Amino acid sequence: MGRKALCEIPPMGWNSWNTFTENISEDLIKQTVDAMKEQGLLEAGYEYVVIDDCWSLRERDSEGRLVADPEKFPNGMKALADYVHEKGFKFGMYSCCGTRTCAGYPGSFEHEFEDAAQFAEWGVDYLKYDNCYKPQNHDGKTLYRRMGIALANSGRDIVFSACQWGTDSVYDWIGSSGAHLFRSTGDINDSWNSIRDIAHSQLDKQAFSGAYCHNDMDMLVVGMYGKGGNSYISAGGCTDEEYQTHFSLWAMMNSPLMIGCDVRNLTDATKKILMNQDLIAINQDKECRAPFLCSENPESFVLVKFLSNGDIAVGMFNMGDTAAGVAVNFWDIGLNAGSGRGLEFYDCIEHQNLGIKKEIFSSTVAAHGSKIYRCKVVSVK
């Protein structure tokens, strides 16, 4: 049988880095898997459990193979992958295109085929591939293509997550590398400024994302409340309103939804945000249409996304520090008054129908807030 086509829609899951950094272990991953299962996150679509950096020993073995740290992972990665799979999840790991990972562990530079085969042997379903310690005389596109070839010929279907940071004109070539998603930003941290700046940086990059190769705006910080794995990540934390806007932006902008908080201790507010099926459905729409900027003011903007069943998603975002009125003119969407059509608005955060609107719709959006609507095109008199 041939290799399956992977990642038609943005992947969803959990990654260890934001909360735990180097403090990872077999027990932590098992507890996380159990908690995700018990709290319904798998059923909601979060299927990948990804171990980030710091999982291996500092050096390869005498045969040049990567070795899982026996203190952190005493039963090895194959046994852990089996546990993850038995619970219904998919298993993800981490490496780097350079000589070392970002935390100083062995990278996959000039070990691409050996490492890809080893990951396949362990039962890995997803590889996050970072961009640290890249030799200066090697260009990024070649190194990512190397691992893309290696994974595609590893004998196992492995999602290739290129953590490339948006450098080296990545948008021009990443689709040719075999990557299924590509990090297009620097590292996120648990602050409103980080969320806002990342979103603004990607508003003009949406056309580069699509089915099978998704623009990754980094992991979610929803529910972290300042409890990051280091001082940079912690950054003071956010309010629930800001976390909601963060999730709304990532959903509308087709970014993978990779949870970064400790899922063993979710607040009710965090669960409500992460498990919002109306927003998840917009993110997971099978056609992966890029959203377009419908209107923009100094502190607010409107994103519009066409969905596969003919519905239209409308996202209103207020990045400012005071409440603001935000409006969408249907003419700007492509729905002129002479068409005899209007939009029936459904609020995806409050989960209520707002009725049929004609020509224009406006709403007051809280400071650092968002409103997301799913709209049906309907006939109006």
Side-chain angles (χ1 to χ4, degrees), residues 38 47 50 104 144 165:
E38 291 165 8
E47 62 177 339
V50 182
Y144 279 91
W165 319 334

Coordinates of all heavy atoms in Angstrom, one line a residue, residues 38 47 50 104 144 165:
E38 N -10.1 11.3 29.8 CA -11.2 11.4 30.8 C -12.0 12.7 30.7 O -13.2 12.7 30.9 CB -10.6 11.4 32.2 CG -10.1 10.0 32.6 CD -9.2 10.1 33.9 OE1 -9.1 11.2 34.5 OE2 -8.5 9.0 34.2
E47 N -6.1 14.8 19.2 CA -5.6 13.4 19.1 C -4.1 13.2 19.2 O -3.7 12.1 19.5 CB -6.1 12.8 17.7 CG -5.5 13.5 16.5 CD -6.0 12.8 15.2 OE1 -6.4 11.6 15.3 OE2 -6.0 13.5 14.2
V50 N 2.3 15.1 22.0 CA 3.6 15.4 21.5 C 4.6 15.7 22.6 O 4.4 16.7 23.3 CB 3.6 16.5 20.4 CG1 5.0 16.8 19.8 CG2 2.6 16.3 19.3
G104 N 20.1 21.8 23.3 CA 21.4 21.3 23.4 C 21.6 19.8 23.3 O 22.6 19.2 23.6
Y144 N 15.2 20.9 5.5 CA 13.8 20.4 5.7 C 13.3 19.4 4.6 O 12.6 18.5 4.9 CB 12.8 21.6 5.8 CG 12.9 22.2 7.2 CD1 13.8 23.2 7.5 CD2 12.1 21.7 8.2 CE1 13.8 23.7 8.8 CE2 12.1 22.2 9.5 CZ 13.0 23.2 9.8 OH 13.1 23.7 11.1
W165 N 10.0 28.9 12.1 CA 10.0 30.2 12.7 C 9.7 31.3 11.6 O 9.8 32.5 11.9 CB 11.3 30.6 13.4 CG 11.9 29.6 14.3 CD1 11.3 28.5 14.9 CD2 13.3 29.5 14.6 NE1 12.2 27.8 15.6 CE2 13.4 28.3 15.5 CE3 14.4 30.2 14.3 CZ2 14.6 27.9 16.0 CZ3 15.6 29.8 14.8 CH2 15.7 28.7 15.6

